[in-house]
Amino acid sequence: MTTAASHSSIGDTAGRRDVARQLVVLISSVLAIVAAFIGSGVIVGTPIQDAAGGTLDADSTLIAPGTGAFRIWSVIYVGMLAYAVWQALPAQRHDERQRRLGWWVTASLVLNAVWIASVQLDLLALSLPIIVALLVVLCRLFVILRGTAPKNRVEAVVADGSIGLYLGWVVIATAANATAVLVAAGFEGFGLDPEIWAVLVLAVAAAAGVALAFWGGGRVAPALALSWGLCWVAVARLTDEPRSVTTGVAALIAAAVVAAATAIARVRQERARQRSTGDESSAVSDERAVSG
């Protein structure tokens, strides 16, 4: 009797925690979208590109993406809201994958809101460690997604897809943020030409994209968002100030490298899956032959 009561109590506690997790993820996603809407300066306040003295504007540094790049935030926010609503459904309440994702998703949304606040308050130097922390949290989410499979296509889109877009974009956003902080601080590049530094930063972003591609088995969403950001860096440098053909071409090459690496990793993953399926079918056939 005591044992049964203990199990029931543990189950009730876990159930309450699951409900709390679902509600926190849902509420934090809504609040993050509201904070982004206000912080973007759509109605009140200063647009992000004009905040902090315009250091994050499209013409502030060689790594700054063109203004059109930021449209991806609408897609990311819609995706994260869709995930928040989906994970709040009763069917996902006790799902182990959602238990592992939930609090990290909340952390990412809170950090994003804090980043917006830091920029709006002209705390540009503080914005860098915040976005780095956001990148670390998103990498943690990617590890969880990589280690567990979605139950169905809906989960693959709203969870894996939305978080993947979020991660890919924050990779290039971190590079742009770091560059803006260094330029604002008066960093002169140890005598190296700014275009050399720009190419090096883009190479690092591309390397991160390649690593995500092979580590994640060719997941499309991170590569799509990162390539989108890189292409908009190219657009800004080829059509806007500070104009730099070298940086623009390097950004296009970086985007192509990320896309190619993702395609190769995806093909390798699919071939490995087919080999695994073939080996299992062969083993079943051999077992049947022996038993027959």
Side-chain angles (χ1 to χ4, degrees):
M1 295 287 286
T2 303
T3 303
S6 299
H7 283 300
S8 176
S9 177
I10 293 172
D12 291 342
T13 301
R16 286 193 294 270
R17 288 177 179 172
D18 287 334
V19 172
R21 184 199 71 246
Q22 289 179 303
L23 289 175
V24 170
V25 172
L26 182 59
I27 293 170
S28 63
S29 68
V30 173
L31 292 178
I33 293 173
V34 171
F37 188 72
I38 296 173
S40 63
V42 175
I43 296 179
V44 295
T46 306
I48 287 292
Q49 63 267 25
D50 297 330
T55 50
L56 296 175
D57 198 3
D59 59 2
S60 59
T61 71
L62 290 176
I63 304 298
T67 304
F70 299 97
R71 295 169 188 159
I72 196 173
W73 272 118
S74 299
V75 180
I76 292 172
Y77 284 134
V78 168
M80 295 307 294
L81 180 59
Y83 169 73
V85 172
W86 175 83
Q87 64 83 41
L89 298 175
Q92 274 61 253
R93 182 162 299 160
H94 307 302
D95 183 85
E96 186 59 32
R97 196 178 198 232
Q98 307 320 311
R99 284 174 172 167
R100 297 182 64 189
L101 290 172
W103 297 112
W104 289 105
V105 168
T106 298
S108 75
L109 295 169
V110 170
L111 283 169
N112 185 61
V114 173
W115 181 87
I116 293 173
S118 70
V119 174
Q120 288 291 351
L121 293 172
D122 289 341
L123 301 174
L124 183 64
L126 182 61
S127 71
L128 182 55
I130 293 172
I131 200 170
V132 169
L134 174 57
L135 180 60
V136 170
V137 169
L138 289 171
C139 286
R140 174 57 185 162
L141 283 166
F142 191 76
V143 169
I144 296 172
L145 293 174
R146 177 180 173 272
T148 55
K151 297 187 297 293
N152 49 46
R153 193 176 298 274
V154 173
E155 182 178 357
V157 172
V158 300
D160 299 62
S162 299
I163 295 172
L165 287 175
Y166 198 178
L167 171 59
W169 171 253
V170 171
V171 169
I172 189 63
T174 302
N177 199 156
T179 304
V181 169
L182 289 173
V183 170
F187 178 66
E188 297 181 357
F190 303 117
L192 292 178
D193 190 283
E195 288 185 325
I196 295 177
W197 279 105
V199 171
L200 289 174
V201 171
L202 291 170
V204 171
V210 171
L212 288 174
F214 284 101
W215 188 29
R219 291 172 182 255
V220 174
L224 191 62
L226 176 54
S227 297
W228 167 271
L230 289 168
C231 286
W232 274 100
V233 171
V235 169
R237 298 292 67 80
L238 297 175
T239 64
D240 197 2
E241 297 297 331
R243 186 175 174 83
S244 171
V245 174
T246 299
T247 304
V249 171
L252 290 175
I253 292 173
V257 168
V258 171
T262 303
I264 293 171
R266 194 168 186 83
V267 169
R268 289 178 58 180
Q269 180 79 1
E270 181 61 24
R271 287 178 177 173
R273 187 189 67 79
Q274 290 176 351
R275 284 197 299 269
S276 177
T277 303
D279 291 342
E280 290 177 3
S281 299
S282 177
V284 171
S285 297
D286 290 343
E287 184 178 343
R288 288 176 178 175
V290 171
S291 60

